[in-house]
């Protein structure tokens, strides 16, 4: 195990509106709090992006949206 100051979580999403809120809430409920999650969506057409964006706005110190080309 590595001794680190902060954990980086890389979260890829695609068409996950039915599950993403539960997943993001699970991260917030962890007892270890020194982390940040970087979220990139791969072209969802459901409400996944809206949900992740709302979490990024509400918890800007925990969730960062990474914009870029969808790669499939």
């Amino acid at each position: 195990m590595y001794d680190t100051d902060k954990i980086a979580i890389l979260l890829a999403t695609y068409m996950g509106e039915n599950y993403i809120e539960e997943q993001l809430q699970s991260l917030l409920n962890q007892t270890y709090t020194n982390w940040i999650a970087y979220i990139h969506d791969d072209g969802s057409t459901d409400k996944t992006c809206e949900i992740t964006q709302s979490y990024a706005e509400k918890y800007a110190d925990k969730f960062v949206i990474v914009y870029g080309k969808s790669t499939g």
Side-chain angles (χ1 to χ4, degrees):
M1 178 161 222
Y2 295 97
D3 184 23
T4 61
D5 292 329
K6 193 167 206 170
I7 301 296
I9 300 166
L10 308 179
L11 179 60
T13 62
Y14 180 72
M15 303 297 283
E17 81 174 289
N18 293 331
Y19 312 101
I20 192 66
E21 192 163 4
E22 182 179 355
Q23 187 173 17
L24 298 177
Q25 198 59 50
S26 176
L27 291 172
L28 290 171
N29 292 338
Q30 297 300 306
T31 57
Y32 186 80
T33 59
N34 197 15
W35 57 268
I36 188 164
Y38 297 94
I39 305 169
H40 180 267
D41 185 76
D42 203 25
S44 294
T45 56
D46 62 1
K47 293 183 180 180
T48 301
C49 293
E50 293 172 34
I51 295 166
T52 57
Q53 184 63 44
S54 72
Y55 271 77
E57 291 170 4
K58 188 172 182 180
Y59 305 100
D61 62 322
K62 292 294 181 190
F63 299 107
V64 175
I65 304 296
V66 177
Y67 297 99
K69 182 181 173 187
S70 297
T71 57

